[in-house]
Amino acid sequence: MNFALILFILVVATGIIWAFDYFWARKKRPPDAKDPWWVEYGGSFFPVILAVFLLRSFLVEPFKIPSGSMIPTLLVGDFILVNKYTYGVRLPVINKKVVALNSPQRGDVVVFRYPPDPSLDYIKRVVGLPGDKVVYRNKKLSVNGKEIVQKKTDDYLDRDRLFYTPRFVETLGSVDHQILVEADAPSFVQQSVRFPYADKCHYNSEGVSCEVPPGHYFMMGDNRDNSQDSRFWGFVPDANLVGKAFFIWFNFSDLKRVGSFN
């Protein structure tokens, strides 16, 4: 379901009702006549729906985290806010950029349209920028020949599985963030689909190396061994970017989770 398209249709429909009543029908009614039901329900909702549409399209949009690919940074059930204008102003519904602003940086947590199926929204962390060479082999990440240091910290307890996973602090760009790496999980990466620029990725038993093409980004989840990301389905084009995630505003299971995150 394309909620942006539904909102757009509602804005157009209620806007037509409001304009028709304001500029023509209202003048034809007696001064003391009651507004007809289609004006009361249609026209009166127009300003509210328009405000929601503009806010959601150009400022911030709420999302709910559906999977554990970004644990421990984001948990299943986290409700987050996404900044819609950080990476440029885009037309709603068609998501076409009309004003270029900032570009994603390594370490940003980004919501984007899933390349194999743009009707789905995914959230991952930016690891590789256009032109970068990203290598992930034997659970170690390197970008442009420089290994990204992983500093061991306390193990993470998955309360659903009652399972402890090794946790590390990793620095991408200027962002320090936590990742999970399961020592017993295989290093081999199974390419799940053929994708554009697949020839720029090379797979072996130790992992994968990719050269990020122009206008694209390489994304990975913080839960490294439980994330379907660019290692499996390829690069994210700039046209698919939705915005930068920056705030957890609610979680039904843990109210303490409210706040910003890296």
Side-chain angles (χ1 to χ4, degrees):
M1 181 178 64
N2 191 327
F3 188 63
L5 178 60
I6 294 173
L7 269 181
F8 177 73
I9 293 172
L10 288 174
V11 167
V12 172
T14 56
I16 290 174
I17 292 173
W18 176 86
F20 176 75
D21 178 66
Y22 185 83
F23 292 106
W24 189 81
R26 183 178 300 179
K27 298 175 183 178
K28 301 295 183 179
R29 292 196 298 270
D32 57 345
K34 184 179 179 180
D35 290 341
W37 67 268
W38 53 271
V39 171
E40 184 176 353
Y41 288 100
S44 60
F45 282 135
F46 170 65
V48 177
I49 297 174
L50 177 63
V52 171
F53 178 74
L54 294 176
L55 177 67
R56 187 182 183 276
S57 299
F58 299 108
L59 296 179
V60 293
E61 183 174 356
F63 285 88
K64 181 182 179 182
I65 303 300
S67 73
S69 70
M70 285 297 292
I71 295 173
T73 305
L74 296 170
L75 306 184
V76 176
D78 281 346
F79 289 86
I80 64 170
L81 294 178
V82 173
N83 186 322
K84 296 295 293 287
Y85 59 85
T86 297
Y87 303 137
V89 178
R90 299 173 186 265
L91 294 178
V93 182
I94 62 175
N95 205 43
K96 180 178 177 57
K97 185 187 293 185
V98 292
V99 178
L101 294 176
N102 306 303
S103 297
Q105 301 299 308
R106 296 187 198 94
D108 287 359
V109 177
V110 175
V111 171
F112 54 90
R113 310 297 185 203
Y114 178 45
D117 182 0
S119 66
L120 301 177
D121 292 321
Y122 268 38
I123 183 167
K124 306 291 179 187
R125 191 178 297 275
V126 178
V127 170
L129 305 179
D132 282 350
K133 183 174 182 180
V134 178
V135 177
Y136 190 74
R137 289 193 174 129
N138 296 319
K139 310 297 181 72
K140 298 292 184 179
L141 173 67
S142 65
V143 179
N144 297 328
K146 181 180 180 181
E147 183 174 313
I148 307 301
V149 177
Q150 298 175 353
K151 298 179 181 179
K152 185 70 172 67
T153 183
D154 59 307
D155 290 346
Y156 176 81
L157 173 62
D158 186 327
R159 299 187 182 279
D160 292 330
R161 297 190 299 166
L162 296 178
F163 180 79
Y164 281 95
T165 303
R167 174 164 41 183
F168 300 84
V169 174
E170 182 180 80
T171 301
L172 279 172
S174 60
V175 179
D176 294 331
H177 62 98
Q178 299 178 6
I179 62 171
L180 302 182
V181 179
E182 296 183 7
D184 296 333
S187 298
F188 173 73
V189 175
Q190 176 65 51
Q191 183 184 9
S192 59
V193 296
R194 290 294 298 173
F195 51 83
Y197 301 103
D199 60 308
K200 292 184 176 293
C201 290
H202 303 281
Y203 296 82
N204 60 28
S205 60
E206 298 176 338
V208 60
S209 66
C210 294
E211 183 179 338
V212 186
H216 290 70
Y217 299 90
F218 192 91
M219 308 286 192
M220 292 180 68
D222 291 346
N223 192 355
R224 291 287 163 81
D225 296 298
N226 294 281
S227 172
Q228 288 283 323
D229 48 40
S230 288
R231 293 171 290 174
F232 299 87
W233 42 253
F235 309 101
V236 176
D238 182 81
N240 285 44
L241 300 181
V242 173
K244 180 180 179 181
F246 69 98
F247 194 81
I248 301 170
W249 61 272
F250 196 70
N251 185 307
F252 284 103
S253 301
D254 186 357
L255 298 180
K256 295 180 181 179
R257 295 228 8 109
V258 174
S260 58
F261 57 88
N262 291 325

